[in-house]
mmCIF file of all heavy atoms in Angstrom:
data_model
loop_
_atom_site.group_PDB
_atom_site.id
_atom_site.type_symbol
_atom_site.label_atom_id
_atom_site.label_comp_id
_atom_site.label_asym_id
_atom_site.label_seq_id
_atom_site.Cartn_x
_atom_site.Cartn_y
_atom_site.Cartn_z
ATOM 1 N N ARG A 205 9.601 34.461 -5.841
ATOM 2 C CA ARG A 205 9.723 35.600 -6.752
ATOM 3 C C ARG A 205 9.588 36.928 -6.020
ATOM 4 O O ARG A 205 10.322 37.887 -6.302
ATOM 5 C CB ARG A 205 8.666 35.494 -7.862
ATOM 6 C CG ARG A 205 8.614 36.691 -8.801
ATOM 7 C CD ARG A 205 7.894 36.372 -10.089
ATOM 8 N NE ARG A 205 6.603 35.747 -9.889
ATOM 9 C CZ ARG A 205 5.466 36.406 -9.666
ATOM 10 N NH1 ARG A 205 5.477 37.747 -9.594
ATOM 11 N NH2 ARG A 205 4.318 35.766 -9.519
ATOM 12 N N LEU A 206 8.667 36.992 -5.074
ATOM 13 C CA LEU A 206 8.387 38.265 -4.400
ATOM 14 C C LEU A 206 9.162 38.440 -3.097
ATOM 15 O O LEU A 206 9.335 39.568 -2.637
ATOM 16 C CB LEU A 206 6.885 38.375 -4.110
ATOM 17 C CG LEU A 206 5.952 38.387 -5.322
ATOM 18 C CD1 LEU A 206 4.507 38.519 -4.866
ATOM 19 C CD2 LEU A 206 6.306 39.526 -6.273
ATOM 20 N N ALA A 207 9.606 37.335 -2.511
ATOM 21 C CA ALA A 207 10.305 37.422 -1.231
ATOM 22 C C ALA A 207 11.541 36.536 -1.239
ATOM 23 O O ALA A 207 11.672 35.632 -0.406
ATOM 24 C CB ALA A 207 9.365 37.018 -0.100
ATOM 25 N N PRO A 208 12.466 36.783 -2.166
ATOM 26 C CA PRO A 208 13.666 35.942 -2.226
ATOM 27 C C PRO A 208 14.463 36.047 -0.925
ATOM 28 O O PRO A 208 14.641 37.133 -0.384
ATOM 29 C CB PRO A 208 14.443 36.527 -3.416
ATOM 30 C CG PRO A 208 13.942 37.934 -3.549
ATOM 31 C CD PRO A 208 12.511 37.886 -3.151
ATOM 32 N N GLY A 209 14.896 34.912 -0.438
ATOM 33 C CA GLY A 209 15.663 34.906 0.803
ATOM 34 C C GLY A 209 14.828 34.765 2.059
ATOM 35 O O GLY A 209 15.381 34.544 3.147
ATOM 36 N N MET A 210 13.509 34.888 1.935
ATOM 37 C CA MET A 210 12.629 34.732 3.094
ATOM 38 C C MET A 210 12.618 33.272 3.534
ATOM 39 O O MET A 210 12.513 32.362 2.716
ATOM 40 C CB MET A 210 11.205 35.172 2.741
ATOM 41 C CG MET A 210 10.164 34.929 3.826
ATOM 42 S SD MET A 210 10.182 36.151 5.153
ATOM 43 C CE MET A 210 9.333 37.533 4.366
ATOM 44 N N LEU A 211 12.731 33.019 4.835
ATOM 45 C CA LEU A 211 12.602 31.664 5.350
ATOM 46 C C LEU A 211 11.195 31.148 5.071
ATOM 47 O O LEU A 211 10.200 31.865 5.271
ATOM 48 C CB LEU A 211 12.839 31.640 6.857
ATOM 49 C CG LEU A 211 14.256 31.458 7.374
ATOM 50 C CD1 LEU A 211 14.248 31.538 8.897
ATOM 51 C CD2 LEU A 211 14.844 30.135 6.922
ATOM 52 N N THR A 212 11.109 29.894 4.605
ATOM 53 C CA THR A 212 9.810 29.318 4.281
ATOM 54 C C THR A 212 9.635 27.976 4.971
ATOM 55 O O THR A 212 10.583 27.217 5.153
ATOM 56 C CB THR A 212 9.659 29.107 2.769
ATOM 57 O OG1 THR A 212 10.729 28.284 2.289
ATOM 58 C CG2 THR A 212 9.663 30.447 2.034
ATOM 59 N N SER A 213 8.405 27.699 5.359
ATOM 60 C CA SER A 213 8.067 26.375 5.876
ATOM 61 C C SER A 213 6.862 25.858 5.114
ATOM 62 O O SER A 213 6.035 26.635 4.621
ATOM 63 C CB SER A 213 7.771 26.421 7.376
ATOM 64 O OG SER A 213 6.646 27.229 7.653
ATOM 65 N N VAL A 214 6.759 24.529 5.018
ATOM 66 C CA VAL A 214 5.608 23.907 4.383
ATOM 67 C C VAL A 214 4.773 23.231 5.452
ATOM 68 O O VAL A 214 5.281 22.463 6.262
ATOM 69 C CB VAL A 214 6.016 22.901 3.280
ATOM 70 C CG1 VAL A 214 6.903 21.791 3.828
ATOM 71 C CG2 VAL A 214 4.777 22.317 2.609
ATOM 72 N N ASP A 215 3.500 23.539 5.474
ATOM 73 C CA ASP A 215 2.552 22.998 6.435
ATOM 74 C C ASP A 215 1.931 21.746 5.817
ATOM 75 O O ASP A 215 0.971 21.828 5.055
ATOM 76 C CB ASP A 215 1.498 24.063 6.737
ATOM 77 C CG ASP A 215 0.459 23.615 7.745
ATOM 78 O OD1 ASP A 215 0.528 22.451 8.203
ATOM 79 O OD2 ASP A 215 -0.431 24.417 8.068
ATOM 80 N N THR A 216 2.491 20.577 6.129
ATOM 81 C CA THR A 216 1.980 19.319 5.595
ATOM 82 C C THR A 216 2.283 18.187 6.557
ATOM 83 O O THR A 216 3.271 18.239 7.291
ATOM 84 C CB THR A 216 2.603 19.002 4.215
ATOM 85 O OG1 THR A 216 1.981 17.825 3.675
ATOM 86 C CG2 THR A 216 4.113 18.779 4.319
ATOM 87 N N PHE A 217 1.413 17.169 6.558
ATOM 88 C CA PHE A 217 1.676 15.975 7.374
ATOM 89 C C PHE A 217 2.142 14.811 6.499
ATOM 90 O O PHE A 217 2.336 13.707 6.996
ATOM 91 C CB PHE A 217 0.439 15.570 8.172
ATOM 92 C CG PHE A 217 -0.787 15.284 7.331
ATOM 93 C CD1 PHE A 217 -0.957 14.053 6.707
ATOM 94 C CD2 PHE A 217 -1.764 16.249 7.160
ATOM 95 C CE1 PHE A 217 -2.078 13.791 5.937
ATOM 96 C CE2 PHE A 217 -2.898 15.996 6.395
ATOM 97 C CZ PHE A 217 -3.055 14.763 5.780
ATOM 98 N N ARG A 218 2.323 15.064 5.198
ATOM 99 C CA ARG A 218 2.702 14.004 4.266
ATOM 100 C C ARG A 218 4.197 14.057 3.967
ATOM 101 O O ARG A 218 4.721 15.077 3.515
ATOM 102 C CB ARG A 218 1.922 14.149 2.975
ATOM 103 C CG ARG A 218 0.441 13.800 3.113
ATOM 104 C CD ARG A 218 -0.323 14.184 1.887
ATOM 105 N NE ARG A 218 -1.644 13.569 1.862
ATOM 106 C CZ ARG A 218 -2.709 14.108 1.256
ATOM 107 N NH1 ARG A 218 -2.582 15.267 0.614
ATOM 108 N NH2 ARG A 218 -3.864 13.485 1.274
ATOM 109 N N ALA A 219 4.870 12.922 4.190
ATOM 110 C CA ALA A 219 6.315 12.864 3.993
ATOM 111 C C ALA A 219 6.696 13.122 2.539
ATOM 112 O O ALA A 219 7.666 13.841 2.258
ATOM 113 C CB ALA A 219 6.840 11.498 4.437
ATOM 114 N N GLY A 220 5.962 12.554 1.604
ATOM 115 C CA GLY A 220 6.290 12.736 0.195
ATOM 116 C C GLY A 220 6.155 14.177 -0.243
ATOM 117 O O GLY A 220 7.000 14.695 -0.992
ATOM 118 N N VAL A 221 5.110 14.835 0.216
ATOM 119 C CA VAL A 221 4.919 16.248 -0.117
ATOM 120 C C VAL A 221 6.026 17.082 0.511
ATOM 121 O O VAL A 221 6.582 17.985 -0.130
ATOM 122 C CB VAL A 221 3.530 16.726 0.354
ATOM 123 C CG1 VAL A 221 3.397 18.243 0.182
ATOM 124 C CG2 VAL A 221 2.425 16.013 -0.422
ATOM 125 N N ALA A 222 6.355 16.783 1.761
ATOM 126 C CA ALA A 222 7.438 17.510 2.429
ATOM 127 C C ALA A 222 8.743 17.356 1.675
ATOM 128 O O ALA A 222 9.476 18.334 1.453
ATOM 129 C CB ALA A 222 7.595 17.013 3.864
ATOM 130 N N GLN A 223 9.057 16.140 1.275
ATOM 131 C CA GLN A 223 10.311 15.901 0.556
ATOM 132 C C GLN A 223 10.356 16.665 -0.758
ATOM 133 O O GLN A 223 11.369 17.314 -1.071
ATOM 134 C CB GLN A 223 10.473 14.402 0.277
ATOM 135 C CG GLN A 223 11.732 14.072 -0.532
ATOM 136 C CD GLN A 223 11.985 12.584 -0.625
ATOM 137 O OE1 GLN A 223 11.810 11.855 0.341
ATOM 138 N NE2 GLN A 223 12.385 12.119 -1.804
ATOM 139 N N ASP A 224 9.279 16.634 -1.518
ATOM 140 C CA ASP A 224 9.261 17.343 -2.799
ATOM 141 C C ASP A 224 9.374 18.853 -2.594
ATOM 142 O O ASP A 224 10.029 19.551 -3.383
ATOM 143 C CB ASP A 224 7.983 17.018 -3.565
ATOM 144 C CG ASP A 224 7.977 15.593 -4.118
ATOM 145 O OD1 ASP A 224 9.070 14.979 -4.189
ATOM 146 O OD2 ASP A 224 6.892 15.097 -4.467
ATOM 147 N N CYS A 225 8.746 19.355 -1.543
ATOM 148 C CA CYS A 225 8.805 20.795 -1.288
ATOM 149 C C CYS A 225 10.218 21.239 -0.922
ATOM 150 O O CYS A 225 10.661 22.314 -1.332
ATOM 151 C CB CYS A 225 7.829 21.176 -0.175
ATOM 152 S SG CYS A 225 6.106 21.196 -0.703
ATOM 153 N N VAL A 226 10.915 20.417 -0.156
ATOM 154 C CA VAL A 226 12.294 20.754 0.220
ATOM 155 C C VAL A 226 13.229 20.607 -0.976
ATOM 156 O O VAL A 226 14.018 21.503 -1.291
ATOM 157 C CB VAL A 226 12.764 19.873 1.394
ATOM 158 C CG1 VAL A 226 14.266 20.069 1.651
ATOM 159 C CG2 VAL A 226 11.967 20.204 2.655
ATOM 160 N N GLU A 227 13.144 19.469 -1.662
ATOM 161 C CA GLU A 227 14.101 19.171 -2.733
ATOM 162 C C GLU A 227 13.794 19.904 -4.028
ATOM 163 O O GLU A 227 14.720 20.300 -4.748
ATOM 164 C CB GLU A 227 14.138 17.667 -2.980
ATOM 165 C CG GLU A 227 14.674 16.873 -1.802
ATOM 166 C CD GLU A 227 14.776 15.388 -2.068
ATOM 167 O OE1 GLU A 227 14.083 14.901 -2.997
ATOM 168 O OE2 GLU A 227 15.540 14.706 -1.365
ATOM 169 N N GLN A 228 12.525 20.096 -4.335
ATOM 170 C CA GLN A 228 12.164 20.712 -5.615
ATOM 171 C C GLN A 228 11.799 22.195 -5.503
ATOM 172 O O GLN A 228 12.016 22.953 -6.447
ATOM 173 C CB GLN A 228 10.977 19.951 -6.245
ATOM 174 C CG GLN A 228 11.192 18.462 -6.395
ATOM 175 C CD GLN A 228 12.370 18.114 -7.287
ATOM 176 O OE1 GLN A 228 12.649 18.798 -8.273
ATOM 177 N NE2 GLN A 228 13.087 17.044 -6.940
ATOM 178 N N LEU A 229 11.258 22.597 -4.361
ATOM 179 C CA LEU A 229 10.764 23.969 -4.222
ATOM 180 C C LEU A 229 11.614 24.823 -3.286
ATOM 181 O O LEU A 229 11.337 26.001 -3.119
ATOM 182 C CB LEU A 229 9.311 23.949 -3.724
ATOM 183 C CG LEU A 229 8.313 23.137 -4.561
ATOM 184 C CD1 LEU A 229 6.920 23.255 -3.968
ATOM 185 C CD2 LEU A 229 8.323 23.586 -6.027
ATOM 186 N N GLY A 230 12.631 24.228 -2.662
ATOM 187 C CA GLY A 230 13.537 25.015 -1.829
ATOM 188 C C GLY A 230 12.979 25.447 -0.497
ATOM 189 O O GLY A 230 13.442 26.444 0.084
ATOM 190 N N VAL A 231 12.010 24.703 0.034
ATOM 191 C CA VAL A 231 11.453 25.031 1.347
ATOM 192 C C VAL A 231 12.491 24.736 2.432
ATOM 193 O O VAL A 231 13.234 23.759 2.352
ATOM 194 C CB VAL A 231 10.154 24.228 1.589
ATOM 195 C CG1 VAL A 231 9.722 24.316 3.039
ATOM 196 C CG2 VAL A 231 9.051 24.740 0.665
ATOM 197 N N ASP A 232 12.524 25.580 3.471
ATOM 198 C CA ASP A 232 13.538 25.465 4.525
ATOM 199 C C ASP A 232 13.126 24.580 5.692
ATOM 200 O O ASP A 232 13.975 23.953 6.331
ATOM 201 C CB ASP A 232 13.866 26.864 5.083
ATOM 202 C CG ASP A 232 14.388 27.807 4.019
ATOM 203 O OD1 ASP A 232 15.452 27.522 3.455
ATOM 204 O OD2 ASP A 232 13.719 28.828 3.758
ATOM 205 N N ILE A 233 11.826 24.558 6.024
ATOM 206 C CA ILE A 233 11.347 23.966 7.271
ATOM 207 C C ILE A 233 10.112 23.130 6.983
ATOM 208 O O ILE A 233 9.275 23.503 6.141
ATOM 209 C CB ILE A 233 10.983 25.083 8.277
ATOM 210 C CG1 ILE A 233 12.184 25.993 8.539
ATOM 211 C CG2 ILE A 233 10.441 24.513 9.584
ATOM 212 C CD1 ILE A 233 11.811 27.373 9.025
ATOM 213 N N VAL A 234 9.962 22.010 7.684
ATOM 214 C CA VAL A 234 8.753 21.195 7.588
ATOM 215 C C VAL A 234 7.921 21.416 8.843
ATOM 216 O O VAL A 234 8.416 21.249 9.962
ATOM 217 C CB VAL A 234 9.091 19.700 7.425
ATOM 218 C CG1 VAL A 234 7.817 18.858 7.488
ATOM 219 C CG2 VAL A 234 9.825 19.457 6.109
ATOM 220 N N ASN A 235 6.667 21.788 8.650
ATOM 221 C CA ASN A 235 5.734 22.068 9.744
ATOM 222 C C ASN A 235 4.644 21.004 9.714
ATOM 223 O O ASN A 235 3.760 21.033 8.857
ATOM 224 C CB ASN A 235 5.142 23.467 9.566
ATOM 225 C CG ASN A 235 4.169 23.831 10.674
ATOM 226 O OD1 ASN A 235 4.068 23.156 11.685
ATOM 227 N ND2 ASN A 235 3.430 24.915 10.478
ATOM 228 N N ASP A 236 4.716 20.052 10.638
ATOM 229 C CA ASP A 236 3.848 18.875 10.628
ATOM 230 C C ASP A 236 2.838 18.947 11.761
ATOM 231 O O ASP A 236 3.173 18.712 12.916
ATOM 232 C CB ASP A 236 4.726 17.621 10.754
ATOM 233 C CG ASP A 236 3.939 16.325 10.773
ATOM 234 O OD1 ASP A 236 2.707 16.363 10.558
ATOM 235 O OD2 ASP A 236 4.553 15.269 11.011
ATOM 236 N N VAL A 237 1.571 19.225 11.419
ATOM 237 C CA VAL A 237 0.544 19.352 12.454
ATOM 238 C C VAL A 237 0.272 18.029 13.157
ATOM 239 O O VAL A 237 -0.267 18.005 14.265
ATOM 240 C CB VAL A 237 -0.785 19.895 11.879
ATOM 241 C CG1 VAL A 237 -0.608 21.284 11.312
ATOM 242 C CG2 VAL A 237 -1.390 18.946 10.850
#
């Protein structure tokens, strides 16, 4: 809402969370510690 078009990554080590963030939330990058 506040930064449309900004590149986003999700910081998670869980595959299911990563998948939902990409497919449902439009996250661009997966950041796996």
Side-chain angles (χ1 to χ4, degrees):
R205 175 162 50 85
L206 298 181
M210 174 79 78
L211 271 177
T212 56
S213 63
V214 59
D215 181 358
T216 185
F217 58 81
R218 289 170 166 151
V221 172
Q223 177 172 319
D224 288 343
C225 285
V226 171
E227 295 183 339
Q228 306 299 324
L229 305 182
V231 168
D232 301 297
I233 303 156
V234 174
N235 180 11
D236 179 7
V237 298

